[in-house]
């Protein structure tokens, strides 16, 4: 299996990432994609990929990491150029209105520039999307509007930690995007809406991810998450979809290999 979204590049793992990677291999999670959220963590993801055969990297600026006048696309471009065999996507990028809507215009502008960067290198996108409490789906709708632009036709990617309803999930699938699920699917309060998406999404249209160190699946909820827990997420999805764990493992691994061009 592949953990398509982890952050072993974060401080939380600085002292024991080697053991974490070892445990992941022991649990049949053979590849870990460490996702960048700013320049520092993107560089660290690349470093981990250089150092570990079972790691790959993505490069990108998370919407909550955008600081006024502080985003330099050229530095992200250089990181990709210098590490083309290790960088497998641009991400995580997107829209996050949870804390504040005031930087909406800036978030969109920087998102669009990063999608163009992905196009330049024929890389897929890892999309982060979160709305505010009052209008939880507005950010998803606005993200879809951007992805639908003619100039972005043909671009591929995944809506990570998918948190909207089936109707929005279907719109991503219709655009050729995948969605991905975290340990939230194992939570008692996962919610009918998310479980409906899990049940309805075709087996070959979703990916598995931990989003480590966040969102540890049951029975580790609340603790530091790690890629070795991927089988717990896969098992829950297999139960919900009434298929075998082997089937979920096989198909999601193929989908991840295809999307991220992994050998
Ligand atoms: Ni993440």
């Amino acid at each position: 299996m592949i953990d398509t979204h982890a952050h072993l590049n974060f401080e939380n793992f600085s002292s024991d990432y080697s053991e974490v990677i070892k445990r992941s291999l022991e649990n049949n999670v053979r590849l870990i994609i460490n996702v960048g959220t700013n320049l520092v963590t993107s560089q660290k993801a690349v470093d981990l990929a250089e150092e570990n055969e079972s790691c790959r990297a993505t490069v990108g600026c998370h919407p909550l990491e955008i600081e006024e006048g502080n985003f330099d696309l050229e530095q992200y471009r250089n990181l990709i150029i210098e590490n083309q065999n290790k960088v497998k996507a641009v991400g995580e990028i997107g829209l996050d209105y949870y804390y504040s809507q005031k930087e909406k215009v800036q978030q969109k502008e920087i998102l669009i520039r990063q999608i163009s960067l992905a196009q330049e290198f024929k890389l897929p996108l890892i999309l982060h999307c979160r709305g505010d409490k009052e209008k939880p789906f507005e950010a998803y709708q606005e993200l879809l509007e951007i992805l639908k632009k003619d100039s972005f036709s043909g671009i591929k990617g995944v809506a990570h930690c998918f948190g909207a309803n089936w109707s929005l999930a279907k719109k991503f699938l219709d655009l050729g995007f995948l969605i991905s699920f975290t340990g939230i699917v194992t939570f008692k309060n996962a919610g009918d809406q998310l479980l409906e998406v899990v049940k309805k999404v075709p087996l070959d249209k979703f990916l598995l991810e931990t989003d480590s160190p966040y969102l540890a699946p049951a029975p580790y909820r609340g603790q530091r998450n790690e890629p070795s827990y991927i089988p717990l997420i896969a098992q829950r999805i297999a139960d919900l979809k009434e298929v075998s764990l082997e089937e979920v493992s096989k198909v999601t691994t193929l989908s991840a290999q295809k999307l991220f061009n992994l050998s």
Side-chain angles (χ1 to χ4, degrees), residues 11 19 32 40 61 63 74 127 143 172 197 202 219 242 248 256 258:
E11 285 293 320
E19 287 104 273
I32 300 163
V40 173
C61 186
E74 213 44 48
L127 297 167
L143 177 59
F172 280 92
V197 176
E242 299 178 12
V248 170
K258 200 168 133 200

Side-chain angles (χ1 to χ4, degrees), residues 12-205:
N12 314 57
F13 295 101
S14 57
S15 64
D16 66 343
Y17 63 85
S18 302
E19 287 104 273
V20 170
I21 293 168
K22 195 165 157 263
R23 276 198 295 277
S24 143
L25 293 170
E26 285 162 4
N27 282 278
N28 214 14
V29 180
R30 304 289 168 90
L31 206 69
I32 300 163
I33 300 180
N34 288 309
V35 175
T37 53
N38 58 32
L39 258 186
V40 173
T41 59
S42 296
Q43 177 69 59
K44 182 73 187 159
V46 168
D47 294 344
L48 281 172
E50 285 294 334
E51 197 184 308
N52 296 278
E53 256 178 69
S54 44
C55 291
R56 301 291 182 274
T58 82
V59 161
C61 186
H62 187 289
L64 295 180
E65 293 283 331
I66 295 165
E67 282 172 52
E68 198 79 51
N70 207 10
F71 175 78
D72 184 359
L73 190 74
E74 213 44 48
Q75 292 187 276
Y76 289 93
R77 177 182 283 115
N78 288 337
L79 207 46
I80 297 174
I81 291 172
E82 287 159 14
N83 302 282
Q84 286 208 48
N85 54 335
K86 299 292 179 195
V87 176
K88 295 298 174 185
V90 170
E92 56 188 295
I93 60 175
L95 302 175
D96 195 317
Y97 302 160
Y98 194 74
Y99 298 104
S100 155
Q101 297 230 1
K102 76 176 194 299
E103 285 112 12
K104 276 172 78 165
V105 173
Q106 197 191 14
Q107 285 193 23
K108 285 184 191 173
E109 184 227 325
I110 289 175
L111 169 62
I112 288 167
R113 291 172 66 198
Q114 294 189 94
I115 298 175
S116 302
L117 182 67
Q119 269 186 317
E120 187 184 331
F121 294 97
K122 297 192 168 54
L123 288 170
L125 312 175
I126 293 184
L127 297 167
H128 168 98
C129 194
R130 184 162 60 157
D132 70 9
K133 283 168 204 151
E134 258 103 80
K135 289 181 266 175
F137 296 157
E138 188 191 21
Y140 280 94
Q141 269 140 6
E142 295 187 5
L143 177 59
L144 281 162
E145 283 313 308
I146 291 172
L147 298 174
K148 271 189 227 157
K149 283 178 192 283
D150 288 342
S151 57
F152 292 152
S153 76
I155 195 126
K156 295 276 189 294
V158 56
H160 118 87
C161 192
F162 192 77
N165 57 18
W166 171 243
S167 138
L168 282 163
K170 204 164 171 308
K171 287 184 178 150
F172 280 92
L173 303 184
D174 290 345
L175 273 177
F177 279 74
L178 305 181
I179 61 177
S180 75
F181 302 115
T182 62
I184 292 176
V185 299
T186 70
F187 295 176
K188 282 203 179 76
N189 60 346
D192 292 343
Q193 183 181 276
L194 178 65
L195 300 184
E196 184 191 6
V197 176
V198 174
K199 285 176 193 164
K200 285 187 173 166
V201 64
L203 209 48
D204 62 344
K205 298 295 179 199

